[in-house]
Amino acid sequence: RRLTGTELVVSDATSISILKQGLRSFHTGAVVYSMRMLEEADPPALAAMLPELLKHAAPEVRRHALETIARLRLTSTLPTVKERVSIEASPEVKGAALRTLAALGDLGGVHDVLNYLDDPQPSIKVGAIVGLLTSGSAQGVLTASQKLLELVNSSHASERALAAQILGESDPRARESYLQILTLLMGDPDLRVRRAALRSAGRLKS
């Protein structure tokens, strides 16, 4: 499971077939590994199977499938992703679904994500804000930026820590402006906020 496509060449039909079988494994790790390898070796084959993987019993598989859809910008899966947002029980996976929905660039999808900016579940709120900040939608970016500033200036340490986490997971192209806010949060009186800010600075390689 530690091997990547750069270390192991997987291009022949037999190997591709084995990886496709791996997508149907009962073992979560085997499915995720097969997805990673197929993304490098045969993206079209993986793309055809991703909608089905969004129904997988393991949350980790569903989350990884959503992240892959966003990376490959598979707009053809938009209806399936929207359905996943509405029925997903795992907050972490739902957050990933919201990010993917925003990343696919559909205006209707961005509008749907806006409805989750005040969700009480931190994972869902983070997914919505990060997704909108990286969506390219003017309305989405503006609204999410305002929500982020509310969290930064919140009187609750948990919300300021959430803001620090969001900064580390957002678009790296806005790194300089994020670092200014992270510098502020590194001086926060609450230890949880300072830790979250340091972790995000690490993600931004600062």
Side-chain angles (χ1 to χ4, degrees):
R1 289 175 56 186
R2 292 186 180 90
L3 291 172
T4 66
T6 57
E7 298 164 321
L8 180 66
V9 177
V10 180
S11 57
D12 61 283
T14 302
S15 298
I16 296 294
S17 177
I18 291 171
L19 290 173
K20 287 180 180 178
Q21 291 174 33
L23 295 178
R24 298 184 175 89
S25 172
F26 293 108
H27 300 284
T28 300
V31 179
V32 172
Y33 178 72
S34 297
M35 273 196 278
R36 287 175 179 160
M37 294 296 289
L38 276 172
E39 185 177 351
E40 297 179 24
D42 192 346
L46 175 61
M49 303 182 80
L50 283 171
E52 190 63 30
L53 289 169
L54 290 181
K55 303 173 186 177
H56 198 279
E60 184 183 349
V61 171
R62 299 197 301 275
R63 180 176 58 80
H64 191 81
L66 286 161
E67 292 169 354
T68 305
I69 287 171
R71 251 192 326 273
L72 297 178
R73 299 195 67 81
L74 300 174
T75 54
S76 60
T77 64
L78 202 54
T80 312
V81 173
K82 286 184 178 181
E83 181 186 23
R84 178 49 50 190
V85 168
S86 64
I87 64 175
E88 180 57 56
S90 164
E92 290 76 18
V93 180
K94 190 161 190 167
L98 289 167
R99 289 193 203 194
T100 302
L101 189 55
L104 293 179
D106 176 75
L107 289 177
V110 167
H111 185 268
D112 291 342
V113 176
L114 287 168
N115 296 324
Y116 291 92
L117 286 175
D118 292 309
D119 197 277
Q121 285 283 354
S123 298
I124 295 176
K125 182 182 288 188
V126 169
I129 295 175
V130 172
L132 291 170
L133 286 173
T134 57
S135 66
S137 160
Q139 180 191 5
V141 172
L142 178 61
T143 308
S145 297
Q146 291 171 342
K147 181 58 61 177
L148 176 60
L149 287 176
E150 287 179 19
L151 294 174
V152 169
N153 296 312
S154 173
S155 59
H156 301 287
S158 60
E159 292 190 337
R160 298 196 302 276
L162 206 62
Q165 178 187 341
I166 289 167
L167 290 166
E169 296 181 20
S170 297
D171 193 340
R173 290 172 294 184
R175 178 178 178 275
E176 292 305 319
S177 59
Y178 292 162
L179 287 176
Q180 293 177 12
I181 304 175
L182 283 174
T183 301
L184 173 67
L185 293 173
M186 284 178 192
D188 195 275
D190 192 284
L191 182 60
R192 291 170 296 173
V193 180
R194 297 201 298 275
R195 282 176 172 163
L198 284 167
R199 282 195 294 270
S200 289
R203 289 193 190 102
L204 294 173
K205 296 180 170 37
S206 172

